Structures are given as structure tokens and as C-alpha cells.
Amino acid sequence: NQRKFMTTPFPFSLVQMARTIMFLWLFSLPLALIDLDSSDDGGHIFHRVVSRCVMVFFITYGFIGLESVSIQLDNPFGYDENDFDNLGMAYCTFEDIYAIIYRLDGIEWTDKLRLRMKSDYDEKDFPETADEETKLIF
């Protein structure tokens, strides 16, 4: 089920329409918020314009930030710096298993497990992008 989730592409037309609507809304927001009433004197109008501009800036910053986060979360299982460290989590899991076996059965069985894991996985089983730390896990 996870493989289906990872391999199903997100519809490009949906992403394109969502971005277009977001940018149109953000660019029209200042026009909707600034209300220039001619009965006020100049000082109040300036204060109102500045406060609305600050508010529009933070709203725009929030929406652009949410879009950036959604782009990062689109594929969390890749090799980017913001993706999950699957190999690191696997390494920690293996080390925890080795520690439990060491506590329960001793160093002999821990070494046997390490040798068995190392013999089950050869260099050919790793993709070319795997680094030396990855190969040392097994």
C-alpha cells in the first residue's frame, strides 16, 4: 500500500490550478484590504495603508511558506537534505537489535548475527548511490 502511495503521481493540473489561484488571491488581497476613505485626514490613511501592507506581507509569507512545505513533503523518501533518513533509522534499529541480543545472549551471538547479516548482503545488492556508511550497516 505504501508503494502505491509513493508511486502515484500528483496530478499536475491540480497543482497548477492551486498555485494560480493562490497567486491571484495573494496579488488581489491588497486591493481588497486597502480602503481609502476620503473623509479621513492624511495621517490616518497612511497608518491604515501601512498596517494593511504589513498584514498582507505576513499573509503572503504564510501562504508561500505553506506551498514550500507542501513541495518538500511531496516526496519524503528521496535523497534530499529534508527527506527522511531511512538508512540512519535502519542503522539505529540494527544497533538496538544487536544491543538487545548482546544483553540477552552475549557477544558470541551478536557476532554471529553480524556475520550472517554481512554475508546475506553483498556489494551487488546495493544501488550505486549507496555510500560506504550504508554498506557498513550490514
Side-chain angles (χ1 to χ4, degrees):
N1 219 3
Q2 183 180 4
R3 180 182 290 286
K4 184 178 178 183
F5 175 73
M6 287 175 49
T7 58
T8 303
F10 204 72
F12 176 73
S13 58
L14 182 63
V15 173
Q16 186 179 20
M17 285 304 298
R19 284 185 180 171
T20 303
I21 290 171
M22 181 185 70
F23 283 117
L24 285 176
W25 187 77
L26 288 174
F27 286 125
S28 65
L29 182 63
L31 301 174
L33 289 179
I34 294 179
D35 178 31
L36 299 176
D37 190 1
S38 61
S39 65
D40 287 338
D41 61 359
H44 293 297
I45 292 176
F46 179 75
H47 182 269
R48 191 179 316 149
V49 169
V50 170
S51 66
R52 302 268 166 85
C53 287
V54 169
M55 183 171 52
V56 167
F57 170 77
F58 284 114
I59 291 171
T60 304
Y61 184 76
F63 273 96
I64 300 295
L66 285 175
E67 186 200 14
S68 175
V69 168
S70 71
I71 290 170
Q72 289 294 323
L73 292 178
D74 185 34
N75 184 12
F77 301 108
Y79 294 103
D80 294 336
E81 64 184 35
N82 290 332
D83 293 337
F84 291 125
D85 184 18
N86 292 331
L87 295 174
M89 289 186 278
Y91 180 76
C92 288
T93 303
F94 282 132
E95 288 300 317
D96 289 343
I97 291 170
Y98 294 144
I100 291 170
I101 291 174
Y102 176 75
R103 265 190 255 141
L104 294 176
D105 296 327
I107 190 75
E108 177 185 351
W109 288 98
T110 305
D111 289 341
K112 284 182 183 181
L113 178 62
R114 282 188 192 268
L115 286 175
R116 180 166 181 157
M117 291 299 293
K118 193 170 194 170
S119 66
D120 284 347
Y121 295 97
D122 294 333
E123 295 283 328
K124 63 180 171 57
D125 294 331
F126 290 100
E128 292 179 10
T129 58
D131 55 357
E132 289 300 318
E133 181 180 334
T134 305
K135 294 175 186 174
L136 290 177
I137 292 173
F138 298 105

